[in-house]
Amino acid sequence: MAGTLLLVGATSDIGHAVAARYAQAGWRILLAARDPERAQRNADDLVARHRAEVGLLRLDILETDSFAAWLDGLPALPDTVVCAVGELGDQGRAEVDPTHAEGVMRTNFLGPSLLLGLIAERFAARGSGAIVGISSVAGDRGRGSNYVYGAGKAGFTAFLSGLRNRLAKSGVRVVTVKPGFVRTRMTRGLRLPPLLTGEPSEVGQAVYAAAQGGGDVVYVRKIWRLVMAVIAAIPEPVFKRLNL
Ligand SMILES: NC(=O)c1ccc[n+]([C@@H]2O[C@H](COP(=O)([O-])OP(=O)(O)OC[C@H]3O[C@@H](n4cnc5c(N)ncnc54)[C@H](OP(=O)(O)O)[C@@H]3O)[C@@H](O)[C@H]2O)c1
């Protein structure tokens, strides 16, 4: 049955692919972006390609104090919310600039967790809803090359895990999606291994399937579950000497 999707992070390439998958299935789409003008192109695309009913809202994920009032102002409580907000940041800069590191951690962890936590309360009171957080395999183990981003995602993954555990009997689904590498604006210019790299549309399909009941923790390309299990199993004395 079609419902209403709230997509947080509406200018995201992955987010747009998620919205397109839901629009294709006949869902109404609420797009939330910190700069709605820049999300207009994605909104127009959903209307043109899928004749979707689309609303545009402003939300900055760092403005945590405004979340409750923002949710009160929604036209209606959505059926599914997907949070695609994230910031890779610059690991080297984060090592010497605490303000930059804080921004990366707040964008990947605090903002999304606090927003989804408040939405979860409303979904639980209603007795239904699906919450999808786009986290990352980078949160499965801290690596020297991106541990500030990875720590933010690890916190988000743990938050979603706890939320899922607490709400398991409430009628609310909580899904963690770990895309692996995906060709988007975030990874532009990086050299990515083809076998481990997906397209945004694959994430869109995986999110849609998981939110309908297809899994709790989803690695979009299945090989990533194996890769991360191997990486997680490497003993710390060995791991710390690897150039990862
Ligand atoms: N691409 C990958 O390989 C990959 C892999 C694993 C996980 N992910 C995760 O997938 C999600 C989507 O990423 P993407 O690849 O589609 O990258 P993207 O296109 O750069 O999307 C990032 C999104 O986060 C939004 N955002 C950042 N700070 C925000 C703030 N303060 N308030 C509101 N929105 C904010 C951006 O909005 P603006 O346009 O306003 O900056 C943008 O919509 C992220 O959570 C990312 O960490 C991506």
Side-chain angles (χ1 to χ4, degrees), residues 11-12 14 34 38 60-61 84-86 149 153 180 182 184-185:
T11 53
S12 140
I14 286 176
R34 61 177 156 180
R38 286 199 299 107
D60 189 323
I61 209 69
V85 168
Y149 172 76
K153 290 299 192 185
V182 186
T184 68
R185 172 173 57 135

Side-chain angles (χ1 to χ4, degrees), residues 75-95:
L77 196 58
D79 300 284
T80 293
V81 57
V82 175
C83 183
V85 168
E87 184 188 356
L88 188 56
D90 178 330
Q91 171 64 32
R93 183 174 161 205
E95 287 161 16

Side-chain angles (χ1 to χ4, degrees), residues 118-163:
L118 286 182
I119 292 174
E121 291 313 296
R122 289 159 200 246
F123 280 5
R126 183 178 63 188
S128 69
I131 291 171
V132 182
I134 313 277
S135 192
S136 173
V137 298
D140 287 6
R141 190 162 192 181
R143 293 184 291 122
S145 57
N146 73 346
Y147 63 86
V148 173
Y149 172 76
K153 290 299 192 185
F156 190 38
T157 296
F159 186 93
L160 292 169
S161 173
L163 201 58

Side-chain angles (χ1 to χ4, degrees), residues 31-109:
L31 297 177
R34 61 177 156 180
D35 181 355
E37 271 184 31
R38 286 199 299 107
Q40 186 65 54
R41 200 162 53 106
N42 287 350
D44 292 344
D45 180 64
L46 297 175
V47 174
R49 279 203 292 148
H50 305 291
R51 298 182 182 193
E53 196 183 309
V54 182
L56 260 180
L57 303 161
R58 186 194 167 275
L59 180 72
D60 189 323
I61 209 69
L62 300 179
E63 294 174 0
T64 53
D65 288 347
S66 71
F67 287 170
W70 188 83
L71 291 171
D72 288 341
L74 288 179
L77 196 58
D79 300 284
T80 293
V81 57
V82 175
C83 183
V85 168
E87 184 188 356
L88 188 56
D90 178 330
Q91 171 64 32
R93 183 174 161 205
E95 287 161 16
V96 293
D97 178 353
T99 305
H100 180 65
E102 183 182 335
V104 172
M105 290 179 181
R106 290 180 67 210
T107 302
N108 289 295
F109 171 39

